[in-house]
C-alpha cells in the first residue's frame, strides 16, 4: 500500500508527505532481531507479506535519500533492511505469491538507491558495488522472464547507472559504452511498446547522458543532436503529463545541458536564453516540493551557471548576482550530513565568485580581477580535492585560468611560471580526454608558459567537432605588449 501511494506521489513531487513515517516505519517494517534469515523458514512463509514490507522500506529509503529529505542515515538503514528481507526469498520457485517482476524490481530499487546515496557522497566504489547488484538483479529478472519488456528496460536503467559512475570517475569512453548499451536496450523495448511513458523517459535519459559525454569531450554539435532528441521526447511527455513535476525538473536539467553545449558551439546568446529556461523550470518544480533540499541546492547551482552564461553573452548580471550571493549566504554547510548538497553549495559559490571576477574584467578593472582570482584559490583547490575528476570542476578551473591570462594580457606581464603550474594542474583532465573549455585553457596556458611550442595538431583537435574558442587570441604565443604597444622583439 505504501509503495502504491509513493507511486502516486512521486511524479507530482509530493513524496515529502511520506517523510514522517521514516524512523517509525523502519522499526515496524524491518526484519526482527534473529528473524528473517536464510536459516529461518519464517522468511519465506509469507513471501507476499515480506515483499510488501521490503517495498515499503524502499519507499522510506527513497524519501529520505540524498535526492529527497537528505536523511541518508534513515535511508541507508531502510534500504539495507529491505535487502535483508528480500535475500532469503530466493529461489523464488519455493515462495508462493511472489513474482519475478515484483521481487527483482524491488531488489533493484533498493540497490539503486544505496548506489545513488553513495554516488552523491562521492564514494564511487560503494556506488559501483550497489549498481552492479542492481544490474545483476535486472539480468536475473530478464533470464526468468525473457518476454517481459519491463525487465529489459530495467536492465537498461542499471547499465545507465553504471555509466553515470564511470562518467563521474572521468572514464569517458567507458561511460559512453555503458550509455550506448543502455540506449540500445531501451530502443529495442520501445519498438515493442511505443506508447510506454517510462521507456520513452529512459530513452531520453540515455540520450541526455550521451550528449553530456559528447560535450565533455569537445563535440558540441554531436552533443546538441543527442540533447535535442532527448528534449523533443521530454517536451512531449511533459505535455502529456502536466501535473508530474519530476518530468518538469528533468526537462529543466536537460535545458542546462543544452545551454552548455550551445556555449561550447559559440552560440552565447542562445546558451544564456536556454539556461534561463532551464532554471525557470527548476524553480517551478521546486515550488511543488519545497522540502526537497537537494532540488533547492541543485537550483541554486544552476543559478550560478546562469550568471556565467549571461556574462558570456555580454549581459548585465548585477541584480541577479547580488540576489544569489544573498541566498547562498543563508545556506548551511552540510559536508558531514549531506555531502552532495554541500558540494553543490560550494560549487555554486565558486560560480558566484567567478561571475564577480568576470564583472570586473568587463569593466577593465584588472587589479580587481587579480585580487578576486587570488581570493578564489583556496575554494577552487577544495573543490578539486573533494571531486578531483568532476568535469564541471575542471571547467571552472579552466575558466579561472583564462580570466587570469586575460588579466596578464591586459597588463603585458605574464607570469610564465604560474602558467606552467596551472597548465600542469589541468593536464590530467586533458590526458583523460576532456576537451572543450578545458583544452582551450590548457593550450592557452601552454602558449603562455612555453612560447613557440609546436602546435602538433592540438588546435585542430580543439575545434574539429564544432567547439568555438572563447579566447582564440590566447592560443598563440602569449600577446604581451611593449611600452609602445607592440610585442617585444
Amino acid at each position: 500500500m505504501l509503495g502504491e501511494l509513493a507511486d502516486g506521489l512521486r511524479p507530482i513531487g509530493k513524496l515529502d508527505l511520506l517523510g514522517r513515517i521514516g524512523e517509525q516505519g523502519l522499526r515496524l517494517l524491518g526484519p526482527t532481531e534473529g528473524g528473517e534469515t536464510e536459516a529461518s523458514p519464517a522468511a519465506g512463509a509469507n513471501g507476499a507479506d515480506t515483499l510488501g514490507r521490503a517495498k515499503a522500506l524502499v519507499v522510506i529509503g527513497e524519501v529520505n535519500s540524498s535526492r529527497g529529505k537528505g536523511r541518508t542515515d534513515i535511508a541507508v538503514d531502510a534500504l539495507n533492511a529491505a535487502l535483508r528481507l528480500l535475500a532469503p526469498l530466493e529461489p523464488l520457485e519455493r515462495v508462493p505469491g511472489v513474482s519475478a517482476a515484483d521481487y527483482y524490481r524491488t531488489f533493484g530499487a533498493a540497490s539503486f538507491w544505496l548506489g545513488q546515496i553513495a554516488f552523491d557522497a562521492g564514494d564511487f566504489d560503494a556506488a559501483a558495488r550497489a549498481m552492479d547488484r542492481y544490474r545483476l538483479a535486472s539480468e536475473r529478472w530478464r533470464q526468468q522472464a525473457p518476454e517481459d519488456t519491463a525487465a529489459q528496460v530495467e536492465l537498461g536503467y542499471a547499465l545507465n547507472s553504471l555509466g553515470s559512475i564511470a562518467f563521474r570517475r572521468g572514464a569517458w569512453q567507458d561511460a559512453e559504452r555503458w550509455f550506448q548499451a543502455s540506449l540500445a536496450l531501451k530502443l529495442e523495448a520501445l519498438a515493442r511498446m511505443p506508447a510506454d511513458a517510462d521507456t520513452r523517459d529512459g530513452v531520453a535519459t540515455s540520450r541526455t547522458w550521451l550528449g553530456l559525454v559528447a560535450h565533455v569531450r569537445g563535440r558540441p554539435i554531436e552533443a546538441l543532436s543527442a540533447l535535442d532528441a532527448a528534449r523533443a521526447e521530454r517536451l512531449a511527455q511533459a505535455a502529456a503529463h502536466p501535473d508530474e513535476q519530476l518530468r518538469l525538473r528533468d526537462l529543466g536539467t536537460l535545458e542546462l545541458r543544452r545551454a552548455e553545449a550551445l556555449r561550447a558551439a559559440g552560440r552565447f546568446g542562445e546558451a544564456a536564453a536556454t539556461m534561463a529556461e532551464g532554471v525557470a523550470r527548476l524553480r517551478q518544480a521546486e515550488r511543488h516540493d519545497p522540502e526537497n533540499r537537494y532540488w533547492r541546492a541543485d537550483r541554486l547551482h544552476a543559478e550560478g551557471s546562469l550568471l556565467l552564461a549571461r556574462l558570456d553573452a555580454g549581459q548585465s548580471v548585477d541584480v541577479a548576482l547580488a540576489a544569489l550571493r544573498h541566498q547562498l549566504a543563508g545556506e548551511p554547510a552540510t559536508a558531514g550530513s549531506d555531502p552532495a548538497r554541500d558540494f553543490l553549495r560550494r560549487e555554486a559559490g565558486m560560480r558566484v565568485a567567478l561571475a564577480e571576477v568576470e564583472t570586473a574584467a568587463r569593466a577593465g578593472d584588472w587589479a580587481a580581477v587579480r585580487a578576486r582570482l587570488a581570493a578564489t584559490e583556496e575554494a577552487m583547490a577544495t573543490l578539486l580535492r573533494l571531486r578531483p575528476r568532476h568535469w564541471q570542476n575542471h571547467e571552472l578551473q579552466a575558466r579561472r585560468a583564462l580570466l587570469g591570462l586575460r588579466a596578464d594580457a591586459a597588463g603585458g606581464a605574464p607570469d610564465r611560471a604560474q602558467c606552467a603550474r596551472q597548465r600542469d594542474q589541468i593536464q590530467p583532465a586533458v590526458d583523460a580526454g576532456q576537451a572543450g573549455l578545458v583544452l582551450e585553457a590548457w593550450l592557452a596556458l601552454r602558449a603562455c608558459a612555453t612560447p613557440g611550442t609546436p602546435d602538433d595538431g592540438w588546435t585542430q583537435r580543439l575545434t574539429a567537432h564544432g567547439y568555438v574558442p572563447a579566447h582564440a587570441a590566447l592560443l598563440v604565443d602569449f600577446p604581451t605588449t611593449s611600452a609602445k604597444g607592440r610585442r617585444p622583439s
Side-chain angles (χ1 to χ4, degrees), residues 223-289:
L224 284 169
S225 177
L227 294 169
D228 286 348
R231 180 176 184 267
E233 188 57 62
R234 293 284 192 214
L235 285 170
Q237 291 299 311
H241 308 278
D243 296 330
E244 296 188 5
Q245 300 307 313
L246 186 57
R247 295 183 189 278
L248 183 66
R249 184 175 181 276
D250 287 343
L251 184 55
T253 301
L254 174 56
E255 296 291 16
L256 304 185
R257 303 289 83 84
R258 290 184 65 249
E260 289 155 351
L262 287 165
R263 188 264 179 209
R267 296 157 62 179
F268 298 112
E270 290 177 75
T274 301
M275 187 74 74
E277 183 177 347
V279 170
R281 291 186 186 279
L282 294 184
R283 287 181 188 141
Q284 187 177 348
E286 184 187 348
R287 283 195 293 271
H288 288 82
D289 192 0

Side-chain angles (χ1 to χ4, degrees), residues 60-412:
I60 293 171
E62 179 182 354
V63 170
N64 289 282
S65 73
S66 48
R67 298 300 175 98
K69 296 178 72 64
R71 289 296 308 276
T72 55
D73 53 336
I74 295 176
V76 169
D77 286 347
L79 295 166
N80 280 323
L83 291 177
R84 289 197 302 273
L85 282 173
L86 291 169
L89 296 183
E90 288 196 284
L92 298 181
E93 293 80 3
R94 65 180 179 82
V95 184
V98 174
S99 70
D102 276 350
Y103 177 83
Y104 288 115
R105 184 183 287 114
T106 306
F107 194 101
S111 298
F112 167 81
W113 282 110
L114 284 169
Q116 186 69 67
I117 292 167
F119 178 88
D120 288 338
D123 187 349
F124 301 133
D125 289 341
R129 288 193 296 273
M131 293 304 187
D132 204 50
R133 285 199 304 270
Y134 177 24
R135 176 187 63 82
L136 289 170
S138 302
E139 287 181 345
R140 290 193 191 109
W141 177 9
R142 195 180 183 201
Q143 289 165 2
Q144 293 195 25
E147 300 303 316
D148 191 340
T149 307
Q152 180 170 325
V153 174
E154 199 69 40
L155 179 56
Y157 291 149
L159 299 185
N160 207 90
S161 296
L162 289 166
S164 67
I165 295 168
F167 182 90
R168 280 282 294 276
R169 282 173 158 163
W172 315 121
Q173 289 183 323
D174 289 345
E176 194 165 29
R177 283 193 290 268
W178 284 119
F179 296 141
Q180 287 171 342
S182 172
L183 180 60
L185 284 170
K186 293 169 184 175
L187 286 173
E188 183 182 334
L190 188 61
R192 294 161 62 184
M193 45 182 194
D196 186 77
D198 288 341
T199 305
R200 301 184 78 91
D201 283 341
V203 167
T205 297
S206 290
R207 283 183 168 148
T208 300
W209 276 106
L210 284 167
L212 183 52
V213 171
H215 165 72
V216 168
R217 303 194 74 187
R219 308 192 303 249
I221 295 174
E222 179 185 331
L224 284 169
S225 177
L227 294 169
D228 286 348
R231 180 176 184 267
E233 188 57 62
R234 293 284 192 214
L235 285 170
Q237 291 299 311
H241 308 278
D243 296 330
E244 296 188 5
Q245 300 307 313
L246 186 57
R247 295 183 189 278
L248 183 66
R249 184 175 181 276
D250 287 343
L251 184 55
T253 301
L254 174 56
E255 296 291 16
L256 304 185
R257 303 289 83 84
R258 290 184 65 249
E260 289 155 351
L262 287 165
R263 188 264 179 209
R267 296 157 62 179
F268 298 112
E270 290 177 75
T274 301
M275 187 74 74
E277 183 177 347
V279 170
R281 291 186 186 279
L282 294 184
R283 287 181 188 141
Q284 187 177 348
E286 184 187 348
R287 283 195 293 271
H288 288 82
D289 192 0
E291 297 301 315
N292 191 315
R293 293 178 289 183
Y294 184 86
W295 283 20
R296 173 177 170 79
D298 200 30
R299 190 263 304 165
L300 290 171
H301 183 269
E303 300 262 16
S305 298
L306 178 57
L307 289 176
L308 296 176
R310 284 178 167 164
L311 285 165
D312 288 340
Q315 301 172 10
S316 175
V317 299
D318 292 348
V319 174
L321 178 58
L324 183 55
R325 189 190 305 113
H326 176 74
Q327 288 184 74
L328 288 172
E331 291 294 301
T334 58
S337 61
D338 195 344
R341 188 160 56 95
D342 192 67
F343 183 83
L344 287 172
R345 178 188 63 83
R346 288 176 182 273
E347 204 175 65
M350 177 57 68
R351 292 173 190 278
V352 167
L354 291 182
E356 291 171 337
V357 178
E358 184 65 50
T359 300
R362 289 180 60 187
D365 188 349
W366 299 107
V369 168
R370 294 185 187 93
R372 291 176 181 178
L373 280 176
T376 66
E377 186 168 357
E378 183 178 348
M380 188 74 251
T382 299
L383 286 173
L384 291 166
R385 176 178 55 79
L386 290 172
R387 294 190 180 176
R389 297 181 181 87
H390 188 46
W391 68 278
Q392 288 181 314
N393 272 355
H394 293 307
E395 288 199 346
L396 289 174
Q397 184 183 27
R399 183 182 284 270
R400 183 175 178 273
L402 288 168
L403 279 163
L405 289 173
R406 287 161 59 194
D408 285 349

